[in-house]
Amino acid sequence: MIIYGKQIVLFVLDNHSDLIEEVMFSKDIEPKLFSKFSRLKKPIIKLDSKKAQALAHGGNHQGYFLKIKEFAFTTLNEIKKSKFLLILDSLTDMGNIGAIIRTSYALGVDGIVITGIRDVKMEQLVRTSSGSALNMPIAVHFDISDLLNQLKFEQFSLVGADMDGEDIKNFKHNLNKIALIVGSEGNGLHNKVIKKLDHKVSIKMARVFDSLN
């Protein structure tokens, strides 16, 4: 898996150096930083500009690249041991998913399950989540109906983000295990998901704008 961009590369260097397989630069870097990469005892490769642009698919790489180990998704059985899960119902935009992972990690979500898509592009999620995807347990399970049935069996309360839901500011609960379900960018939650919910919550909009729900 190839990641690029100075900040994400330095994040991995400082926090997940065990994942690094190769270091690649398309520019000269300061000796002190180069020495830090050298201590990894991993191959360091100098890229020409054409190869760098190809690896970054035209993105802003800033001259910094890493080849890291493939992401190890968490098993569903393991992630069900959590107390607070976020379930993504058929979201498809990797940029949106990455931003959600970053926010979820900052707010204390225990794990995330991505549903409804088969091709999860982890290179993009690592980058758009500012590296937090490497810290967050993430599972993939295509069939959300089956997933919700399993979570119900494990005593999770199913809470959905929906425009018709109760204002999250007023949502009082003593729930022990929560699975918060967020719908897709265009359609929101599927009807089959809404029928299984225990609670619906919403972020009330102070101004007329696309809903965050």
Side-chain angles (χ1 to χ4, degrees):
M1 181 165 67
I2 303 295
I3 61 171
Y4 59 84
K6 182 176 181 179
Q7 293 306 314
I8 184 63
V9 164
L10 295 183
F11 173 85
V12 173
L13 175 64
D14 290 337
N15 297 279
H16 296 281
S17 61
D18 58 304
L19 299 178
I20 297 174
E21 296 181 335
E22 289 182 2
V23 180
M24 294 168 277
F25 299 117
S26 64
K27 60 184 288 187
D28 293 329
I29 65 171
E30 58 183 88
K32 184 176 180 181
L33 183 55
F34 187 85
S35 178
K36 192 172 180 181
F37 281 104
S38 297
R39 288 197 291 271
L40 296 172
K41 301 191 182 305
K42 300 293 183 180
I44 298 178
I45 300 168
K46 184 66 180 290
L47 303 173
D48 61 37
S49 59
K50 186 176 180 180
K51 178 64 173 178
Q53 283 299 309
L55 284 177
H57 307 289
N60 183 18
H61 55 76
Q62 300 170 294
Y64 289 74
F65 296 83
L66 290 178
K67 180 181 179 183
I68 65 174
K69 296 176 183 177
E70 291 301 314
F71 182 80
F73 288 101
T74 304
T75 67
L76 203 56
N77 284 337
E78 187 64 27
I79 214 163
K80 285 188 294 188
K81 297 176 183 178
S82 305
K83 294 288 188 180
F84 183 18
L85 292 178
L86 179 68
I87 313 300
L88 305 184
D89 178 13
S90 301
L91 276 79
T92 57
D93 187 288
M94 294 298 129
N96 288 344
I97 296 174
I100 289 170
I101 291 171
R102 181 178 60 198
T103 302
S104 300
Y105 183 73
L107 295 178
V109 172
D110 297 324
I112 293 174
V113 185
I114 299 172
T115 75
I117 57 173
R118 299 188 186 279
D119 184 18
V120 179
K121 296 178 172 60
M122 281 308 304
E123 295 94 339
Q124 294 183 34
L125 293 189
V126 171
R127 188 171 69 255
T128 57
S129 70
S130 299
S132 58
L134 297 174
N135 296 336
M136 174 69 75
I138 300 173
V140 176
H141 192 77
F142 186 80
D143 187 343
I144 192 168
S145 293
D146 175 68
L147 171 65
L148 297 184
N149 289 337
Q150 291 190 49
L151 294 178
K152 280 273 195 180
F153 183 78
E154 298 290 338
Q155 306 300 310
F156 277 89
S157 295
L158 305 183
V159 181
D162 187 79
M163 291 177 65
D164 297 327
E166 178 185 357
D167 189 337
I168 190 68
K169 293 178 182 177
N170 302 323
F171 183 54
K172 309 296 184 184
H173 69 85
N174 58 354
L175 307 176
N176 183 39
K177 299 173 72 174
I178 297 175
L180 175 63
I181 305 113
V182 176
S184 65
E185 297 90 340
N187 300 317
L189 296 174
H190 283 102
N191 286 332
K192 62 184 179 181
V193 172
I194 292 174
K195 292 177 181 178
K196 293 179 180 291
L197 296 177
D198 299 305
H199 307 276
K200 290 194 294 183
V201 295
S202 67
I203 300 172
K204 298 304 179 185
M205 299 293 101
R207 297 179 176 87
V208 178
F209 194 65
D210 288 344
S211 174
L212 295 176
N213 304 294

